[in-house]
């Protein structure tokens, strides 16, 4: 059994390593074709995100090329796609609109620097505090956003677009049952393009989205004064960009970890994202982060597992728009919409909304998931949704744990001592009403509070114990607190009697 497990682990490691892929024609072919599919899907996305940011389409395309190629070497999560994204475009769009292109590029570069700093500070370790319910909400919200992003291509278009999208979806559903040698999305794109060209079907194409560049990206040094005023102008946007980009990238990396049953270095990913954004800005790009849709195309639809697919996605993107721009321009948007619809369906966690799952799941967990989805969909900001979800999870957890603290009173046989046994976790939510659990007037002159079955977590609990002691002293009664574990005793010893207004 162990031999089979070792063989399986060796095969999985071989599939995800660059050297293993280069030695295997089968794996290498899979990686190359996956990169080509992703490159085709990146083109309309990069153009549309450039429009959102208020810059030339070339800015988004060059950014996607630079970031995909650089993250292939610098990133911590193999097979994850990083490029220009809508989340980053929305955050920094006001800079281009109000201050111009030079300030816009300076914002991208400084945003990358902030990400490098956050990476060095270990921000990736905060991922452990994101609950599963928030993660499920994040995934489901992304699936909804991917689908809704396709609606502009399905509204007010020639009726022939709809059967073309249906055919594309049909190809991607049926083809994997026949063969997985060639990615189904690539076959769908090629067949629909050939059909529209040979049959002269007039439908919106990639070329209609914006002009494709005809030259390679060049070094771009923003012409902005290196003053505190410049920093004050762009700093809020750079910090927002850094936080949104890292959060989306680390969440996507965790999702890919789950899909591929493998781990990744989140700190290296944080540093890689920062470096990729700096490089993107230096070549006139708009910056970005991990792309959930294209990553799912790469990992789920195409089966890619190595950095080769990420690297080739960037290389193919540049070749397609600069060298083969005239051919790419005739690809119908219907083909790419079909691909993204299937990505949306595949990304959504359908198990999470089954009636059987909802019946078993605690109500609080479901509410956290729904809150995360709702906020992301309404704001179109993944960072805000995840933060709201985490806060909601913390509140629900605190309320749940607060009820675990109990107080039991017993009276000694001689009636001279009241003995209180406190059980449970004592922190701000559970200790605030601790003072109401004691009979100050009715207890005898000696009171013992036993904390051997509890733990003191914060200053609120120490303040509550001080208040209990003070109330008994006002009744000329003596209080003895016993049974504290070492950590609780240290905190109580450090803070007891020092939390009043006069200290």
């Amino acid at each position: 059994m162990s031999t089979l497990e070792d063989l399986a682990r060796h095969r999985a490691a071989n599939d995800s390593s660059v050297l293993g892929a280069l030695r295997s024609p089968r794996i290498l072919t899979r990686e190359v074709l996956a990169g080509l599919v992703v490159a085709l899907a990146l083109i309309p996305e990069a153009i549309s995100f450039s429009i959102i940011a208020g810059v030339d389409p070339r800015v988004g395309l060059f950014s996607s090329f630079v970031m995909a190629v650089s993250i292939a070497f610098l990133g911590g999560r193999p097979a994850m796609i990083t490029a220009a994204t809508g989340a980053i475009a929305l955050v920094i769009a006001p800079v281009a609109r109000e201050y111009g292109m030079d300030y816009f590029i300076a914002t991208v570069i400084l945003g990358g620097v902030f990400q490098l700093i956050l990476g060095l500070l270990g921000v990736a370790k905060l991922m452990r505090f994101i609950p599963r319910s928030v993660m499920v909400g994040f995934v489901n919200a992304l699936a909804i956003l991917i689908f809704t992003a396709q609606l502009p291509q399905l509204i007010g278009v020639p009726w022939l677009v709809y059967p073309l999208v249906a055919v594309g979806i049909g190809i991607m559903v049926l083809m994997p049952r026949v063969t997985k040698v060639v990615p189904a999305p690539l076959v769908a794109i090629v067949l629909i393009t050939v059909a529209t060209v040979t049959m002269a079907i007039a439908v919106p194409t990639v070329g209609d989205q914006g002009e494709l560049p005809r030259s390679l990206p060049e070094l771009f040094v923003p012409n902005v004064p290196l003053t505190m005023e410049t920093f004050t102008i762009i700093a809020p946007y750079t910090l927002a960009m850094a936080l949104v980009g890292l959060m989306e990238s680390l969440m996507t990396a965790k999702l890919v970890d789950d899909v591929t049953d493998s781990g990744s270095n989140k700190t290296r990913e944080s540093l890689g994202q920062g470096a990729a954004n700096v490089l993107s800005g230096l070549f006139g790009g708009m910056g970005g982060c991990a792309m959930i849709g294209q990553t799912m195309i790469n990992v789920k639809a195409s089966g890619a597992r190595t950095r080769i697919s990420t690297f080739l996605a960037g290389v193919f993107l540049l070749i397609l728009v600069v060298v083969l721009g005239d051919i790419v321009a005739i690809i119908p948007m219907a083909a790419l919409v079909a691909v993204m619809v299937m990505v949306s369906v595949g990304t959504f966690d359908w198990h999470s909304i089954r009636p059987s799952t909802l019946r078993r799941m605690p109500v609080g967990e479901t509410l956290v998931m729904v809150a995360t989805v709702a906020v992301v969909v309404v704001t179109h900001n993944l960072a805000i949704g995840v933060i709201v979800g985490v806060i909601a999870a913390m509140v629900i957890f605190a309320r749940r744990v607060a009820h675990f603290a109990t107080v039991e009173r017993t009276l000694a046989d001689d009636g001279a001592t009241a003995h209180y046994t406190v059980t449970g976790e004592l922190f701000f939510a559970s200790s605030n009403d601790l003072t109401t659990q004691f009979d100050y007037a009715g207890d005898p002159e000696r009171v013992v509070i036993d904390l051997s079955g509890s733990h003191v977590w914060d200053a609120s609990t120490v303040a509550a114990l001080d208040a209990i002691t003070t109330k008994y002293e006002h009744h000329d009664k003596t209080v003895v607190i016993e049974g504290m574990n070492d950590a609780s005793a240290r905190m109580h010893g450090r803070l007891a009697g020092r939390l009043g207004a006069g200290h």
Side-chain angles (χ1 to χ4, degrees), residues 73-95:
F73 295 96
L74 303 171
R77 172 66 259 179
M80 192 165 78
I81 303 298
T82 291
T85 58
I88 299 299
L90 287 168
V91 169
I92 61 177
V95 181

Side-chain angles (χ1 to χ4, degrees), residues 21-57:
L22 292 175
R23 294 193 190 105
S24 169
R26 177 185 62 83
I27 299 175
L28 185 58
T29 301
R30 179 193 71 193
E31 299 295 313
V32 171
L33 293 176
L36 179 57
V37 175
V38 171
L40 290 168
L42 279 173
I43 294 170
E45 296 273 301
I47 294 172
S48 63
F49 296 150
S50 298
I51 294 169
I52 290 172
V55 295
D56 190 280

Side-chain angles (χ1 to χ4, degrees), residues 127-142 251 254-255 258 348-349 351-353 357-358 360-376 382 385-398 400:
M127 285 298 296
R128 72 183 67 175
F129 296 108
I130 297 180
R132 179 188 174 279
S133 52
V134 175
M135 189 68 196
V136 173
F138 167 82
V139 169
N140 290 346
L142 282 172
M251 294 283 279
K254 190 172 185 299
L255 176 61
D258 294 339
F348 196 91
D349 186 349
H351 177 76
S352 66
I353 61 170
T357 303
L358 294 175
R360 286 194 300 268
M361 193 68 63
V363 175
E365 301 272 328
T366 302
L367 288 176
V368 169
M369 181 193 74
V370 172
T372 304
V373 171
V375 173
V376 171
L382 295 164
V386 170
I387 290 170
V388 169
V390 170
I391 292 174
M394 290 168 60
V395 171
I396 291 171
F397 174 76
R400 188 183 302 158

Side-chain angles (χ1 to χ4, degrees), residues 139-162:
V139 169
N140 290 346
L142 282 172
I144 294 170
L145 289 182
I146 292 169
F147 180 80
T148 55
Q150 311 314 309
L151 295 180
Q153 302 297 333
L154 296 171
I155 298 173
V157 294
W159 69 270
L160 284 170
V161 167
Y162 304 112

Side-chain angles (χ1 to χ4, degrees), residues 366-496:
T366 302
L367 288 176
V368 169
M369 181 193 74
V370 172
T372 304
V373 171
V375 173
V376 171
V377 171
V378 170
T379 64
H380 282 238
N381 191 314
L382 295 164
I384 294 176
V386 170
I387 290 170
V388 169
V390 170
I391 292 174
M394 290 168 60
V395 171
I396 291 171
F397 174 76
R399 283 178 60 85
R400 188 183 302 158
V401 175
H403 297 303
F404 290 163
T406 59
V407 179
E408 291 185 8
R409 178 182 182 271
T410 57
L411 203 60
D413 293 338
D414 59 4
T417 303
H419 193 280
Y420 287 88
T421 302
V422 182
T423 306
E425 305 301 318
L426 299 178
F427 65 113
F428 62 89
S430 59
S431 61
N432 280 341
D433 62 350
L434 194 63
T435 55
T436 65
Q437 307 294 311
F438 295 83
D439 185 4
Y440 302 102
D443 280 337
E445 292 186 358
R446 186 171 187 272
V447 177
V448 175
I449 302 175
D450 182 6
L451 297 180
S452 57
S454 60
H455 186 101
V456 176
W457 285 103
D458 59 6
S460 294
T461 302
V462 177
L465 293 172
D466 282 354
I468 292 167
T469 303
T470 302
K471 284 177 181 289
Y472 275 115
E473 287 174 350
H474 287 161
H475 288 82
D476 296 324
K477 297 174 182 179
T478 303
V479 177
V480 176
I481 299 175
E482 63 182 25
M484 285 189 187
N485 58 37
D486 291 342
S488 298
R490 282 196 299 271
M491 177 170 287
H492 185 263
R494 189 168 67 249
L495 297 177

